[in-house]
Amino acid sequence: MGEEGTEGMVHLLCLAASSGVPLFCRSSRGGAPARQQLPFSVIGSLNGVHMFGQNLEVQLSSARTEDTTVVLLVGLEELTNIRNIERLKKELRASYRLIDSFLGNSELIGDLTQCVDCVVPPEGSLLQEALSGFAEAVGTAFVSLVVSGRVVAATESWWRLGMPEAVLLLWLVGSLPPQAARDYPVYLPHGSPMVPHRLLTLTLLPGLELCLLCGPRPPLSQLDAQLLERWWQPLLDPLRACLPLGPRALPGGFPLHADILGLLLLHLELKRCLFTVELSGDKEPSPGQRRRLLRSFYTLVTATYFPPEPGQPEKVEEAVHRAQVPRACYLVSGPEEPGIGWRLVALQLGPRRLLLLLSAQSPTHGLRGLATHTLHALTPLL
């Protein structure tokens, strides 16, 4: 839906479930927020189609033209009993930055995988020990150390947060303007949808933040500079070493094959992942294109080839054919000839799933061996 000239436009339209009243509309072009909004006439038409389909037990989820996509979100059950629609619209504005970040071209992948984006710090044990001590000192069990939206270290309670809370909290922090400290009310969709918690953030270095999830205590004033210096000043060098990990995820010098342009490693039981396209220097394709290739490949292999994730119930027919499900697959973006087309390979062993983007020079007959060797090398990290 939309006017001509809106090439690459995506509109996210949220409707109240009971009335169909539009609550908000956010737009994006080429991965960046756009000011151009859906005309009211188009919103009204979509609302009419939504209401008509609802009477026939059909849900309209999206509408497409050649150059534009409109995605419709129906309000959650908690939002259906709306007493003041204008007040609700104002309250929803606090979520606009978070929503826009999902419409944009993020360097993260947790929105797609529903696994927490992580990095591997060079001195992880030291940081983990300090984090646990700091959490005990401030009186909350939910603490994480985050660099550029990725978890460096976290307490056991933080890791036990369910989905989508664990992913949403990181995206929320990444969507907010930089600040030395924040005290932000958050509702947890599953853990606490009715009563807000407090999300406290404290900047240790630019791009490196402590995140605390807590109740009424501690007050933000209690987390003063003296307390931070006591716990984190002795670890200034290990903290600085975390800063380059944002885009790369892996510590510098970690041995990887020269043909690897990008990788995605998921631990499906722990719901954590390592994702990077900052490998092999300035070779083609660009980092943005590498991310798009890996995201598309993940969607393909997850929907088509691999079995259900650990812990998910299987249908009887799925269990019968489980032995026939492949554990590896690859894709070539062109003729299967050396030097032509990029290679994408996926491998699953136990709870781990690895996806690699490889240069055109990588021979197809060696893809599974390279992926297996890489997965074994990465296994101790995740």
Side-chain angles (χ1 to χ4, degrees):
M1 296 295 165
E3 302 172 359
E4 292 186 9
T6 55
E7 182 176 358
M9 289 291 292
V10 176
H11 301 282
L12 180 65
L13 177 61
C14 181
L15 305 172
S18 56
S19 64
V21 174
L23 299 177
F24 64 81
C25 180
R26 306 300 293 170
S27 302
S28 171
R29 174 185 287 154
R35 292 186 177 182
Q36 182 176 350
Q37 299 291 316
L38 282 176
F40 185 78
S41 58
V42 173
I43 294 178
S45 299
L46 289 171
N47 181 34
V49 175
H50 161 69
M51 298 298 288
F52 177 78
Q54 194 174 44
N55 293 332
L56 301 176
E57 298 184 355
V58 175
Q59 180 174 319
L60 176 66
S61 59
S62 66
R64 295 174 180 268
T65 66
E66 289 185 1
D67 54 17
T68 305
T69 300
V70 181
V71 182
L72 285 83
L73 290 183
V74 179
L76 296 174
E77 184 176 354
E78 290 83 356
L79 296 177
T80 56
N81 186 20
I82 301 172
R83 298 179 180 178
N84 188 324
I85 192 72
E86 294 304 320
R87 179 180 177 182
L88 176 62
K89 289 180 180 180
K90 290 180 180 179
E91 291 174 345
L92 286 172
R93 290 175 187 169
S95 304
Y96 284 179
R97 286 182 176 271
L98 177 61
I99 294 168
D100 290 344
S101 70
F102 284 116
L103 293 176
N105 293 325
S106 173
E107 295 182 357
L108 308 178
I109 201 169
D111 62 316
L112 180 63
T113 64
Q114 286 300 289
C115 293
V116 176
D117 287 271
C118 301
V119 300
V120 182
E123 299 187 65
S125 58
L126 285 177
L127 295 174
Q128 185 66 52
E129 183 179 354
L131 191 74
S132 299
F134 177 78
E136 185 176 354
V138 299
T140 180
F142 299 88
V143 184
S144 65
L145 180 63
V146 179
V147 59
S148 301
R150 301 163 175 88
V151 172
V152 178
T155 60
E156 286 298 321
S157 294
W158 184 280
W159 285 127
R160 286 197 294 268
L161 288 171
M163 294 296 157
E165 285 94 338
V167 170
L168 285 174
L169 288 172
L170 297 179
W171 280 72
L172 173 62
V173 173
S175 70
L176 298 174
Q179 286 182 304
R182 305 185 190 93
D183 191 337
Y184 208 84
V186 293
Y187 291 86
L188 305 180
H190 295 302
S192 182
M194 305 301 291
V195 179
H197 283 63
R198 295 167 60 227
L199 177 64
L200 308 183
T201 67
L202 303 164
T203 298
L204 299 180
L205 294 171
L208 186 65
E209 295 179 279
L210 284 169
C211 298
L212 299 81
L213 190 64
C214 54
R217 301 188 62 82
L220 187 59
S221 58
Q222 181 179 322
L223 308 176
D224 54 22
Q226 185 176 358
L227 179 66
L228 293 178
E229 289 179 5
R230 172 184 155 199
W231 285 100
W232 300 106
Q233 184 68 32
L235 297 176
L236 191 56
D237 288 338
L239 290 173
R240 285 174 175 158
C242 294
L243 297 179
L245 295 177
R248 184 177 170 84
L250 301 172
F254 187 85
L256 287 173
H257 196 282
D259 286 347
I260 299 177
L261 304 176
L263 67 83
L264 170 61
L265 174 64
L266 304 109
H267 197 297
L268 301 175
E269 291 179 350
L270 297 178
K271 291 293 183 180
R272 306 176 197 176
C273 67
L274 298 174
F275 179 52
T276 179
V277 294
E278 302 291 336
L279 304 172
S280 300
D282 56 357
K283 293 182 181 178
E284 290 292 329
S286 66
Q289 191 173 356
R290 294 182 190 186
R291 279 190 289 272
R292 288 190 290 272
L293 285 168
L294 278 170
R295 289 178 70 96
S296 298
F297 188 51
Y298 170 84
T299 302
L300 172 68
V301 300
T302 301
T304 308
Y305 299 112
F306 289 146
E309 297 178 4
Q312 289 187 339
E314 290 183 294
K315 298 178 181 178
V316 175
E317 57 269 24
E318 291 175 341
V320 170
H321 297 289
R322 187 175 178 85
Q324 303 174 12
V325 175
R327 291 293 183 268
C329 61
Y330 73 88
L331 177 70
V332 178
S333 64
E336 293 192 31
E337 301 175 8
I340 301 178
W342 296 296
R343 279 74 167 128
L344 289 145
V345 59
L347 176 70
Q348 181 153 327
L349 290 175
R352 293 178 178 84
R353 183 179 300 169
L354 175 66
L355 283 72
L356 296 177
L357 172 64
L358 302 164
S359 67
Q361 286 70 37
S362 192
T364 55
H365 63 80
L367 294 181
R368 181 163 186 170
L370 193 158
T372 301
H373 176 78
T374 304
L375 181 55
H376 287 320
L378 292 171
T379 293
L381 305 182
L382 187 64

